Structures are given as structure tokens and as C-alpha cells.
């Protein structure tokens, strides 16, 4: 496997962290726009309160995760010793193989969980069944698209 430019990867991760922060801020802003009546949603009060709390918490968590990602990678870029340790860890063949297998096994497990959910949900709710079928179909299409893309690139 090829060596990774760790400084470039850290800068990319910082951009991803900034993206997380923007998405989190958008979720919180949307909640405040809806809560203050700028946009009117006709929701059951209990559901509405849950939605507002959920998106506020989700937005705050995304902003915190983005900030942590930026801080961690900035620390790597400022300290050459830490950057070198990170580079060794990320270029290590064993670590990379473990990461690839982890993603593969997670994908297999996700298909299995979705399939079991489809089997069970038909007895509970047709809506849940349809949603899970859509999710597994989209997941399969994305998997197929990446398989084709990677076969062409490699």
C-alpha cells in the first residue's frame, strides 16, 4: 500500500470538522427559526418539543465533534513528534488491514441487521417495512457503485 501524506490528511480532517460544525450550527439555527415562529410547523406539542430538543442536541454534538476533530488535527500539525507517530500508525500495514476488515465486517453486519429488521417489521408496521427496504436498497446500490468505481481505479 502507498504511504499517506499525513499533513494533507490532517488538513482534510480539519475541513471535515469545519463541515460538521456548519451542519451542527444549521441544525440549531433551524430549530430556533422554527421555535420562534418564523416558519410555522403544525406539530403535536409533545412531538414538537421532542423535535426541538433532538435537533438542538444533535447540532450541539456535531459542533463539539467538529471542534474536537479540528483541535486534535491542529495539535498533530503543530507538533512534529506527534505527527510522525500518527504517520507511522496510519501507514502501518496491520492497522490498515484491521481498518479495512472492520469496515467490511460492519457492512456485512449492517446488511444482516437490516434484513432481520425487514423480516420482523412486516408484522409490526408496513411503513417501517417500506423504510427498511428502501434503506437496504440504497445501501446495496451505494455498495455496488463503490465496487464498480474501485474496480476501475485499482
Amino acid at each position: 500500500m502507498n504511504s499517506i501524506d499525513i499533513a494533507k490528511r490532517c488538513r482534510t480532517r480539519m475541513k471535515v470538522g469545519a463541515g460538521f460544525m456548519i451542519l451542527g450550527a444549521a441544525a440549531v439555527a433551524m430549530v430556533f427559526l422554527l421555535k420562534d415562529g418564523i416558519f410555522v410547523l403544525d406539530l403535536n406539542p409533545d412531538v414538537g418539543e421532542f423535535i426541538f430538543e433532538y435537533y438542538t442536541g444533535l447540532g450541539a454534538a456535531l459542533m463539539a465533534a467538529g471542534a474536537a476533530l479540528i483541535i486534535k488535527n491542529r495539535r498533530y500539525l503543530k507538533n512534529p513528534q506527534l505527527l510522525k507517530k500518527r504517520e507511522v500508525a496510519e501507514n502501518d500495514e496491520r492497522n490498515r488491514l484491521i481498518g479495512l476488515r472492520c469496515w467490511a465486517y460492519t457492512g456485512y453486519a449492517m446488511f444482516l441487521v437490516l434484513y432481520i429488521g425487514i423480516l420482523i417489521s412486516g408484522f409490526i408496521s408496513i411503513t417501517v417495512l417500506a423504510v427498511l427496504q428502501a434503506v437496504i436498497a440504497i445501501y446495496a446500490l451505494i455498495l455496488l457503485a463503490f465496487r464498480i468505481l474501485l474496480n476501475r481505479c485499482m
Side-chain angles (χ1 to χ4, degrees):
M1 290 188 181
N2 296 336
S3 182
I4 298 168
D5 180 3
I6 195 68
K8 182 178 177 184
R9 183 169 276 186
C10 284
R11 286 189 290 277
T12 300
R13 288 177 181 157
M14 289 171 65
K15 291 175 187 172
V16 169
F20 282 174
M21 292 180 73
I22 291 168
L23 289 173
V28 172
M30 180 182 70
V31 166
F32 284 109
L33 289 174
L34 293 173
K35 192 154 182 100
D36 292 336
I38 294 173
F39 299 107
V40 178
L41 287 180
D42 188 25
L43 295 174
N44 175 331
D46 292 335
V47 172
E49 193 58 37
F50 168 78
I51 294 290
F52 294 131
E53 291 173 5
Y54 178 81
Y55 282 109
T56 301
L58 179 67
L62 273 174
M63 288 188 289
L69 196 57
I70 290 170
I71 290 167
K72 181 177 84 170
N73 284 286
R74 184 175 287 158
R75 199 171 121 232
Y76 289 144
L77 290 174
K78 286 185 176 183
N79 187 335
Q81 293 169 334
L82 284 177
L83 187 65
K84 185 66 178 166
K85 278 185 179 180
R86 190 73 208 155
E87 184 175 22
V88 168
E90 290 199 23
N91 283 326
D92 181 55
E93 292 290 329
R94 183 175 179 272
N95 288 344
R96 292 172 81 174
L97 182 61
I98 289 170
L100 288 173
R101 284 192 178 171
C102 180
W103 277 106
Y105 293 164
T106 302
Y108 300 141
M110 191 64 184
F111 258 121
L112 180 64
V113 168
L114 284 170
Y115 181 70
I116 291 169
I118 288 170
L119 291 177
I120 294 170
S121 67
F123 298 104
I124 298 168
S125 170
I126 299 300
T127 304
V128 174
L129 174 70
V131 169
L132 289 178
Q133 282 181 327
V135 169
I136 202 168
I138 292 168
Y139 188 76
L141 289 173
I142 292 171
L143 183 65
L144 179 65
F146 276 115
R147 177 67 182 220
I148 292 168
L149 179 70
L150 289 172
N151 275 338
R152 288 184 182 169
C153 292
M154 298 178 111

